[in-house]
Amino acid sequence: MTGGRRTALRAATGALAALAVAGCGAGTWGQEQESASTTPDVAEVDDDRGVLLRGAYLQEPPDGARAWAEGSDVAVQGRLLNEAAARDAVLSASSPAAAGVDLVDPSGAVVGSLPLPPGEPVDLRPGGPTLVLRDVQRELPEGEQVQLTLVLREAGELPATLQVLIEDPAAG
């Protein structure tokens, strides 16, 4: 996939995700799309209580694979930002695409929560704090969309739609 085609796919997916959340009566939750040139946008979720999920997507499969196999563990990548004045934390997460979702600290240990200090971005990534979908229940090919719900201590539930992204090996 060329860089231009990949950028167009990401932009289109971000727009579709925004329409899906706006159309499902999400109440105070909304989505906004940023320019594809400024973020690897797929999930752009925020709310008027100050919690933002930016540029979130599912980690690329290993070794040039074009899909995650059923039973795989898949990390979420993106950025969480608490723009509220009070501390918050991700207490749990769930996805119908996985047997479970673990909160993982930078050492790789499963933890009970991921702190969200006010004004400090938390980058979700392998080797850092992240969320890991455990034992995905079906193959997840490039472009597949997956629902994810975060439960936050102060802000409540934050639903998102993430996509499996695969980088073009020739583009690297």
Side-chain angles (χ1 to χ4, degrees):
M1 179 180 294
T2 66
R5 186 169 161 219
R6 184 173 55 250
T7 299
L9 175 64
R10 289 177 181 167
T13 301
L16 287 173
L19 287 172
V21 169
C24 71
T28 60
W29 295 100
Q31 289 196 1
E32 62 184 55
Q33 176 184 350
E34 290 186 8
S35 165
S37 65
T38 61
T39 181
D41 66 8
V42 172
E44 301 294 330
V45 182
D46 63 36
D47 79 322
D48 38 340
R49 292 171 283 181
V51 176
L52 307 154
L53 176 61
R54 296 288 168 101
Y57 58 98
L58 296 177
Q59 170 186 4
E60 179 178 351
D63 303 322
R66 303 306 292 177
W68 285 100
E70 182 177 338
S72 296
D73 294 340
V74 183
V76 173
Q77 297 183 349
R79 175 173 280 184
L80 281 165
L81 180 61
N82 176 10
E83 290 188 335
R87 295 182 66 84
D88 207 338
V90 179
L91 300 178
S92 65
S94 62
S95 173
V101 180
D102 287 337
L103 310 177
V104 178
D105 73 9
S107 73
V110 175
V111 295
S113 67
L114 293 178
L116 298 175
E120 295 180 31
V122 175
D123 290 325
L124 302 174
R125 60 183 172 74
T130 195
L131 308 167
V132 178
L133 280 67
R134 300 289 184 191
D135 187 21
V136 296
Q137 302 297 289
R138 64 183 190 282
E139 180 180 79
L140 298 178
E142 175 179 16
E144 182 80 11
Q145 293 188 346
V146 172
Q147 300 301 310
L148 177 73
T149 301
L150 304 180
V151 177
L152 303 158
R153 179 180 296 130
E154 301 300 325
E157 289 189 358
L158 178 62
T161 301
L162 309 181
Q163 182 179 29
V164 176
L165 293 184
I166 308 220
E167 298 296 326
D168 182 358

